[in-house]
């Protein structure tokens, strides 16, 4: 059985990206791979209280600009917000802008959605393949300023490995 190293404040992201490819090898199912990926991140990086996916789904109240919402997918951590409209909170902003958003203090982020009041910093990476947005990968920490540019680059490489190993569903 695969064992992750102890959670680290400064993880070896190159090693983690290789582990993503290894863990997901031979399985392309979105749910299975997203669950495995969330568990790997949650147990490999210290000071996290949530790590998981929000996946695109038709919006409850679609607009021409935002026909989709984000629906919670596989994750590790406490119960989360189930549905997030595009352009609301950090996850919705990442989806709408199609870029990674790193927030040092979520309480200073306009429109932040407090699914867990213990969260103080957050990083959200969009899940994009062939120009199509499939969702976002969201990580929360109870510690202010938890995520660095190094974390951002490493997590983006890990998400890229996940995308390469997974059959995403539009």
């Amino acid at each position: 059985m695969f064992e992750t190293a102890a959670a680290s404040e400064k993880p070896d992201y190159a090693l983690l990206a290789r582990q993503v490819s290894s863990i997901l090898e031979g399985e392309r199912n979105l749910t299975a791979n997203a669950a495995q990926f969330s568990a790997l991140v949650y147990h490999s990086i210290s000071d996290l209280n949530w790590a998981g996916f929000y996946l695109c789904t038709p919006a409850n109240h679609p607009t021409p600009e935002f026909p989709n919402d984000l629906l919670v997918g596989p994750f590790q951590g406490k119960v989360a917000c189930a549905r997030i409209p595009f352009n609301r909170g950090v996850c919705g902003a990442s989806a709408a802008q199609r870029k990674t958003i790193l927030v040092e203090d979520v309480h200073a982020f306009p429109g932040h959605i407090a699914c867990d009041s213990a969260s103080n910093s957050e990083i959200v990476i969009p899940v994009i393949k062939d120009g199509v947005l499939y969702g976002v990968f969201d990580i929360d920490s109870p510690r202010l300023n938890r995520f660095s540019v190094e974390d951002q680059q490493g997590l983006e490489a890990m998400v890229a490995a996940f995308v390469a190993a997974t059959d995403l569903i539009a």
Side-chain angles (χ1 to χ4, degrees):
M1 174 180 243
F2 182 83
E3 291 287 332
T4 60
S8 173
E9 184 170 329
K10 295 203 176 280
D12 181 342
Y13 283 109
L15 174 62
L16 287 173
R18 290 192 305 274
Q19 288 177 335
V20 168
S21 297
S22 177
I23 291 166
L24 304 184
E25 185 176 357
E27 181 55 65
R28 303 217 36 103
N29 179 272
L30 173 61
T31 302
N33 286 0
Q36 295 282 61
F37 185 86
S38 297
L40 177 67
V41 169
Y42 190 78
H43 293 286
S44 298
I45 301 171
S46 66
D47 297 320
L48 303 185
N49 59 326
W50 205 88
F53 288 88
Y54 279 93
L55 302 171
C56 292
T57 193
N60 281 342
H61 305 287
T63 65
E65 186 180 12
F66 300 118
N68 292 316
D69 285 340
L70 296 169
L71 187 64
V72 71
F75 70 91
Q76 298 281 308
K78 292 182 180 179
V79 172
C81 299
R83 185 177 289 263
I84 299 173
F86 274 42
N87 224 19
R88 285 218 41 233
V90 182
C91 289
S94 176
Q97 297 172 32
R98 299 169 64 100
K99 71 175 192 176
T100 298
I101 298 182
L102 188 156
V103 181
E104 295 175 350
D105 179 356
V106 296
H107 308 289
F109 188 88
H112 173 251
I113 301 169
C115 296
D116 180 352
S117 61
S119 293
N120 286 308
S121 62
E122 185 170 5
I123 185 168
V124 181
I125 301 106
V127 177
I128 299 172
K129 184 172 187 174
D130 299 329
V132 176
L133 176 73
Y134 291 91
V136 298
F137 186 69
D138 178 29
I139 307 172
D140 293 357
S141 173
R143 197 174 95 203
L144 290 168
N145 301 311
R146 168 60 188 91
F147 305 105
S148 66
V149 172
E150 180 182 316
D151 291 311
Q152 177 177 337
Q153 293 167 343
L155 288 161
E156 287 173 341
M158 290 177 69
V159 169
F162 165 80
V163 167
T166 305
D167 291 334
L168 300 171
I169 302 165

